Amino acid sequence: MRYRKIPDESIRRLPVYLRGLLYFAETGAKGVSSEKLADFLHFNPAQIRKDFSYFGYFGIRGVGYDVNTLIKQTRNILKLGNKHKTALIGAGNLGKAILAYPGFGVYGFEILAVFDSDQAKIGKKISGRTVEDVSNLRTLKKRGISLGIVATPAPAAQQVADALVDAGITGILNFAPHHLIVPKKVKVITIDIAMELGRLPYYA
Ligand code: NAI
């Protein structure tokens, strides 16, 4: 099912709601109200109700939402139901930290392959994965890998993104401080911690 005209901001909030719902599921709660979820996430309950209503999910007055059903539905909306096979490019400081982080599994991401251009790193194991030569990116399609994480220095990022696109990748999470140019069919999300920090003093 495809949902239309849903604000990007609502989609952006869904993974946060999912985190909250998973917490309530872990505590054994069967139902959760928008107020309780909002309290846990420091969100506005009306916003939560509105976001879920876009997808036709309405809580029951006095009972709230069924936690397990809403987890399933949220995962479906975000297409997290299936495992997403992912490749990481750039096995440096950031790449290693990403590989060591166990939290991606919650969202269905499996980092199955790691690539680098440094001969000293190729063939070495990092967090259970063997680093492969970046010149072998074209093998991704045949391995069913459709997402890429770019953790190379900025000057290499576009070239890596081009190779990922050629390898059939449909989504890129980019950590390099570089604007990637890709075909429309490919979604790029850039995360820049330095830029986020740059706006923090304004609020502090
Ligand atoms: P690093 O220098 O430790 O690692 C970069 C890795 O990329 C190295 O292993 C290098 O051999 C590899 N590499 C270089 N060119 C390549 C290519 N053409 N193909 C494949 N691999 C290649 O750097 P670090 O600290 O891990 O940072 C990686 C990137 O992430 C940088 O662009 C940095 O600016 C960015 N960064 C972003 C942050 C963020 O919040 N978005 C935070 C920290 C770093």
Side-chain angles (χ1 to χ4, degrees):
M1 182 170 181
R2 217 172 149 75
Y3 305 95
R4 300 206 178 272
K5 290 190 193 143
I6 311 282
D8 252 8
E9 284 306 311
S10 300
I11 301 290
R12 200 184 276 259
R13 285 188 286 268
L14 287 183
V16 186
Y17 297 161
L18 180 59
R19 180 154 49 84
L21 289 165
L22 288 169
Y23 164 81
F24 283 104
E26 255 174 48
T27 65
K30 295 265 177 283
V32 66
S33 63
S34 52
E35 282 81 10
K36 256 194 176 170
L37 189 58
D39 201 39
F40 177 74
L41 295 170
H42 301 279
F43 269 54
N44 177 338
Q47 182 75 69
I48 293 180
R49 288 194 294 273
K50 189 170 176 193
D51 284 340
F52 282 126
S53 74
Y54 282 126
F55 304 98
Y57 304 139
F58 302 92
I60 298 169
R61 195 172 272 279
V63 180
Y65 300 95
D66 181 275
V67 174
N68 286 321
T69 308
L70 202 54
I71 287 175
K72 216 171 129 204
Q73 288 163 335
T74 308
R75 280 188 193 280
N76 282 345
I77 298 165
L78 292 169
K79 299 184 193 157
L80 296 176
N82 305 325
K83 290 272 179 231
H84 291 289
K85 295 182 183 174
T86 308
L88 175 103
I89 328 303
N93 292 314
L94 181 64
K96 282 183 199 150
I98 290 171
L99 290 170
Y101 180 59
F104 299 115
V106 171
Y107 295 101
F109 293 95
E110 287 181 314
I111 303 177
L112 290 181
V114 186
F115 295 87
D116 206 286
S117 58
D118 183 350
Q119 291 302 321
K121 290 183 179 169
I122 295 166
K124 297 261 160 63
K125 273 207 162 181
I126 300 175
S127 296
R129 289 91 155 177
T130 304
V131 179
E132 301 175 50
D133 192 326
V134 73
S135 63
N136 292 333
L137 276 182
R138 76 185 90 83
T139 61
L140 293 183
K141 198 169 197 167
K142 149 166 122 214
R143 294 154 81 177
I145 297 176
S146 58
L147 300 177
I149 301 173
V150 176
T152 64
Q158 184 61 54
Q159 183 195 333
V160 166
D162 292 344
L164 285 170
V165 171
D166 286 346
I169 286 290
T170 53
I172 295 174
L173 184 64
N174 172 38
F175 283 96
H178 182 88
H179 177 76
L180 297 179
I181 298 165
V182 295
K184 260 203 178 118
K185 61 180 183 195
V186 177
K187 173 75 180 172
V188 175
I189 295 179
T190 296
I191 295 177
D192 193 327
I193 298 174
M195 215 160 70
E196 293 296 321
L197 272 176
R199 66 192 178 101
L200 186 59
Y202 175 81
Y203 299 99

